Amino acid sequence: MKFFHTPDVVTCSLLWKEWSTSFPNDPLVLMAKESMSKYSRQDWLDMVEEAYSLNKYLSTLIEENIPIEDPRAEKGFDLFAEHYIKWFFPIDDKYIYKLAQETQLNKKYAIFFENQAKGLGRYLPRLIVYYAPKLKDNGSLIEAWVKSKK
């Protein structure tokens, strides 16, 4: 019997590498590759700084036990979605639901988010499921990008 070891430290780049090599023709992978290919060193630094700020905000929500229905939690969701959209690709409700599911089912995703902020591995999926309908219309942005590449 083979046992799988999941590392205690899971980085964004590890998750990206696994996703992009497992699904190299996924339109979202292709969009992210296109976006990232244009980044300067400063862009990468800015993206990381923004991610730290986002995680600090989400961590505060968790520490203060803010319910997901609270407007401050909605702002956290908006910041999370805006980070993805700004740096990688437009996300829609289907994508964000998959991310919530991965966070609950894939130990690496859970570890990644938990390492960003204690409790985030449990809080984020609930936040996503509650606010995902806000992104429903973004699917057309993804479809437009795919059509533009044909």
Side-chain angles (χ1 to χ4, degrees):
M1 181 186 280
K2 198 175 199 180
F3 291 94
F4 295 97
H5 172 70
T6 304
D8 292 333
V9 177
V10 177
T11 63
C12 190
S13 61
L14 172 76
L15 295 176
W16 163 247
K17 189 175 198 173
E18 286 185 3
W19 182 38
S20 63
T21 55
S22 297
F23 303 97
N25 296 317
D26 182 311
L28 295 177
V29 168
L30 297 172
M31 289 172 88
K33 282 182 178 181
E34 185 176 308
S35 293
M36 291 186 294
S37 71
K38 299 173 186 168
Y39 292 165
S40 67
R41 179 162 168 66
Q42 187 60 52
D43 290 333
W44 286 103
L45 294 172
D46 292 345
M47 178 179 53
V48 169
E49 185 177 327
E50 183 179 295
Y52 284 135
S53 177
L54 166 63
N55 291 332
K56 184 172 173 37
Y57 184 87
L58 293 171
S59 178
T60 300
L61 294 175
I62 296 164
E63 289 167 8
E64 294 179 7
N65 213 17
I66 304 299
I68 58 171
E69 303 84 7
D70 190 285
R72 293 170 288 180
E74 182 175 9
K75 179 182 176 185
F77 174 82
D78 292 343
L79 292 170
F80 183 79
E82 288 167 7
H83 181 75
Y84 263 83
I85 293 165
K86 177 180 178 181
W87 295 105
F88 305 111
F89 46 77
I91 56 174
D92 62 3
D93 56 328
K94 292 178 191 133
Y95 171 80
I96 202 87
Y97 280 129
K98 286 180 189 175
L99 180 61
Q101 186 176 33
E102 282 295 317
T103 302
Q104 292 174 322
L105 301 176
N106 183 328
K107 189 173 182 180
K108 288 181 185 176
Y109 280 79
I111 289 170
F112 172 75
F113 285 113
E114 197 62 26
N115 286 340
Q116 303 308 305
K118 187 168 173 39
L120 189 56
R122 292 179 309 280
Y123 189 81
L124 186 61
R126 293 183 13 247
L127 190 68
I128 287 172
V129 168
Y130 193 82
Y131 290 107
K134 292 178 73 172
L135 300 173
K136 190 164 183 67
D137 294 335
N138 281 359
S140 59
L141 296 172
I142 296 167
E143 291 168 12
W145 185 88
V146 170
K147 286 179 184 174
S148 75
K149 299 302 174 187
K150 289 183 178 180

